[in-house]
Amino acid sequence: MANLAVLNIFNKNDSLTKISFQSKIDLEGVGIDDLSGTAIISKLKYSDLKLNHTIEEFSLLANRKEEKRDIQLQSSFVDAKLEGSYSLKQLPSVFENVFHQFIIDSTYEKHKVNPQELDFVMDFKNTKAITQILMPKLVIDSGLRIYAHFSSADSNFNLVAKGSTVGFDYNKIQNFNISLTGLKDSMSLKLTADVLKPENGKKLEGIALNSKFKNSHNYNRLTVESWGEKVKKASFTVNNEFNSFSEMTFSFLNSSFFLNDAFWKIADDNKIKLDSNTIDFYNLFVSYEQQQLAISGKASSSIFDTLDISLQEIDLEFISSLLPENSVDLKGVANGSSSIVSVFDQLSLTTNLAVDSLFINTVDVGQCYATSIWDSETNSLLVDANLGDKQSDLLKISGSVNPLKLENSLDLSLYFNKFPLELIRPYLVDYISDIEGFLNGEVTVRGKAEAPELKGILGLNKTKFHVNYLNTG
């Protein structure tokens, strides 16, 4: 029985981390490509402060006959088999050669390797014990199968993965089927999934992706049944041209989506070019009737390049639908523009934004005005914003934000005038409920963005609320 905390393996902060097993190893060979025989691990017991797992047995069998090789793994958590004519030492170089069949790079020198042909299959079973020990954030449901075939003779490969649920941390894909096929200079990818849930994004349902790659040209067709609660029937076609590793051009064609039953479309006559120094936007328009989001110009380090972003009669429900779920509910109509010069170096930015008929979390705010200017001398964004009609000034914000500073990046003043507490209700529901009333006063915000220092005097007017923890109001 080994104490893994002392050995600095696994959970070194847990002095109770221990492992024991029985082994029978009969392997021979002078290198990784010459090994043959068996290795059996049985009665593997792992325990720490939280876990207690036993794996009865897993075995490794390696056979070689002339150029043919066969490696098998059998266990309670996964079965795998790799067979064919291959060299384990040369496989990384082989796959690098295959990658460069599709991405043109004049500087790449092809590795000299022997002919390779292999088949690989892996079937996952009950992986809970092994993932909890080695990678606690990983979840793999039983039934996942991965199959691969590769032949260097005709540069042919095929990879298929099919399973019910795979997740890592808060990311998850469900009921998916992935197929990747390559032949000489062409490659295709097909993916279908019932659910795809990124950690900080909205859930996508009914996903289908078809992608083809040939002669440095990439064609992609993506359809999504729903993205969150408001975006439905999204369909995108993207064409890519890869000139090199550092330069590519892509454009959207025949791309659209429904948002709250409104049909939004990306204008076909668009192009986005990326290289190591510049992102060039040409005619990127997303629109529905009179609403339009437009991006044009260049983002670079040159003082002669400007990136322009404009909003015209944009319904804020469109913006709200792009934000993480349960972050903020917005309604209203926004108009404004932003001009950015020398994005990657001596940044210069000017923004003007006006919002009419604004509702935030169902509260009628009225209007919102905001202007911001980048101060290149102090590397700060000078902010002047007003929430509410000019006569009411529910909240005024003025000051500066320096995103390049780790310390003292904030220097803001907030002025509250009959600010409705209902606006912040969604962010307090775990602690306070049934909140009513208004907030008045002045607060300064200094220090770091992730841990700001707030100072000021605030007064509550006509306020009542219920403290959930104390069950009192």
Side-chain angles (χ1 to χ4, degrees):
M1 177 76 72
N3 190 319
L4 301 184
V6 175
L7 297 177
N8 203 30
I9 303 176
F10 297 105
N11 188 355
K12 64 182 180 181
N13 296 318
D14 184 354
S15 61
L16 298 179
T17 302
K18 296 179 181 180
I19 187 171
S20 66
F21 58 87
Q22 299 175 7
S23 63
K24 181 179 180 181
I25 300 175
D26 184 14
L27 293 169
E28 61 180 4
V30 295
I32 190 171
D33 285 320
D34 294 315
L35 285 177
S36 62
T38 60
I40 300 174
I41 304 296
S42 59
K43 306 297 182 181
L44 189 153
K45 296 181 180 181
Y46 173 91
S47 63
D48 60 23
L49 189 61
K50 297 180 179 179
L51 302 176
N52 188 0
H53 288 301
T54 299
I55 298 175
E56 288 300 324
E57 181 177 294
F58 64 91
S59 61
L60 178 70
L61 173 64
N63 291 315
R64 176 169 183 174
K65 187 175 182 181
E66 297 179 350
E67 298 302 319
K68 297 288 186 180
R69 293 181 54 79
D70 180 358
I71 301 176
Q72 296 183 50
L73 172 67
Q74 292 184 327
S75 69
S76 60
F77 53 89
V78 67
D79 288 342
K81 185 175 184 179
L82 177 62
E83 60 181 349
S85 301
Y86 57 88
S87 166
L88 290 174
K89 289 194 296 185
Q90 290 187 352
L91 281 181
S93 297
V94 170
F95 294 144
E96 189 175 351
N97 285 345
V98 171
F99 176 78
H100 283 276
Q101 291 175 197
F102 308 102
I103 301 293
I104 297 174
D105 184 359
S106 59
T107 64
Y108 179 73
E109 294 184 11
K110 190 174 181 179
H111 295 288
K112 295 180 180 179
V113 293
N114 298 326
Q116 313 275 329
E117 184 165 355
L118 60 88
D119 287 281
F120 172 76
V121 63
M122 178 179 285
D123 290 303
F124 289 83
K125 301 178 182 178
N126 183 358
T127 63
K128 184 177 180 180
I130 200 72
T131 55
Q132 283 191 344
I133 295 170
L134 298 178
M135 197 173 291
K137 294 182 179 182
L138 179 65
V139 175
I140 302 176
D141 279 2
S142 61
L144 170 63
R145 162 169 274 217
I146 300 174
Y147 167 78
H149 169 79
F150 173 74
S151 172
S152 63
D154 54 5
S155 299
N156 176 286
F157 67 86
N158 185 32
L159 173 67
V160 176
K162 184 177 182 180
S164 55
T165 300
V166 173
F168 184 79
D169 207 357
Y170 293 100
N171 302 285
K172 181 171 63 176
I173 186 170
Q174 290 181 303
N175 299 327
F176 61 92
N177 196 328
I178 303 171
S179 175
L180 179 66
T181 303
L183 181 61
K184 292 185 178 179
D185 63 347
S186 65
M187 179 171 59
S188 64
L189 169 68
K190 293 184 179 181
L191 179 150
T192 59
D194 285 353
V195 174
L196 178 61
K197 179 65 175 71
E199 180 176 357
N200 295 315
K202 296 177 181 293
K203 181 171 67 174
L204 291 90
E205 296 183 280
I207 308 115
L209 171 66
N210 283 280
S211 180
K212 296 179 181 179
F213 195 103
K214 185 173 183 179
N215 297 329
S216 294
H217 178 79
N218 178 220
Y219 167 87
N220 303 278
R221 182 65 176 172
L222 172 66
T223 58
V224 178
E225 285 298 315
S226 66
W227 180 28
E229 296 181 355
K230 298 179 180 179
V231 178
K232 309 292 182 183
K233 299 291 183 182
S235 177
F236 303 96
T237 299
V238 182
N239 278 337
N240 295 350
E241 289 286 348
F242 292 87
N243 300 319
S244 68
F245 282 112
S246 60
E247 184 177 335
M248 81 172 201
T249 302
F250 65 93
S251 57
F252 292 93
L253 300 172
N254 192 26
S255 299
S256 60
F257 55 91
F258 282 90
L259 171 61
N260 294 331
D261 298 324
F263 183 68
W264 287 77
K265 185 172 176 57
I266 301 176
D268 285 345
D269 185 21
N270 68 83
K271 185 181 294 185
I272 304 171
K273 184 177 180 180
L274 294 85
D275 61 31
S276 57
N277 300 309
T278 305
I279 305 175
D280 191 354
F281 293 87
Y282 172 76
N283 202 36
L284 183 59
F285 294 103
V286 184
S287 62
Y288 163 67
E289 294 183 347
Q290 77 275 14
Q291 300 182 59
Q292 179 175 279
L293 167 65
I295 304 175
S296 62
K298 293 183 178 181
S300 74
S301 57
S302 172
I303 60 173
F304 302 105
D305 289 337
T306 301
L307 180 66
D308 294 314
I309 303 172
S310 69
L311 304 176
Q312 179 179 311
E313 297 296 312
I314 292 291
D315 186 339
L316 289 185
E317 285 198 66
F318 170 68
I319 304 298
S320 186
S321 68
L322 305 179
L323 301 175
E325 290 182 356
N326 303 319
S327 57
V328 64
D329 183 25
L330 298 173
K331 292 183 180 179
V333 178
N335 288 276
S337 63
S338 180
S339 294
I340 311 171
V341 179
S342 187
V343 174
F344 304 135
D345 193 2
Q346 299 296 320
L347 177 67
S348 174
L349 178 146
T350 303
T351 300
N352 289 281
L353 177 68
V355 180
D356 292 314
S357 305
L358 176 62
F359 281 77
I360 302 178
N361 298 331
T362 72
V363 178
D364 186 357
V365 174
Q367 295 175 310
C368 174
Y369 307 92
T371 61
S372 59
I373 299 174
W374 181 260
D375 185 347
S376 58
E377 291 186 3
T378 61
N379 288 326
S380 297
L381 187 65
L382 306 180
V383 178
D384 187 8
N386 185 93
L387 190 66
D389 298 334
K390 289 185 176 180
Q391 294 78 16
S392 61
D393 287 341
L394 300 178
L395 172 63
K396 292 188 69 173
I397 303 173
S398 62
S400 63
V401 177
N402 190 325
L404 304 181
K405 281 187 177 181
L406 295 178
E407 303 288 339
N408 301 318
S409 59
L410 301 176
D411 186 6
L412 297 170
S413 295
L414 282 61
Y415 305 90
F416 298 88
N417 179 33
K418 295 184 179 179
F419 182 85
L421 292 174
E422 176 68 16
L423 282 173
I424 58 176
R425 177 190 54 78
Y427 317 112
L428 303 174
V429 291
D430 291 337
Y431 315 100
I432 297 174
S433 57
D434 301 327
I435 188 169
E436 296 180 11
F438 302 94
L439 190 65
N440 295 282
E442 178 181 345
V443 173
T444 59
V445 183
R446 305 281 189 271
K448 299 185 292 186
E450 62 271 21
E453 299 175 2
L454 281 69
K455 292 183 179 180
I457 299 175
L458 294 173
L460 297 174
N461 186 22
K462 299 180 180 179
T463 302
K464 64 178 182 178
F465 52 84
H466 182 88
V467 181
N468 298 338
Y469 181 75
L470 301 175
N471 195 29
T472 59

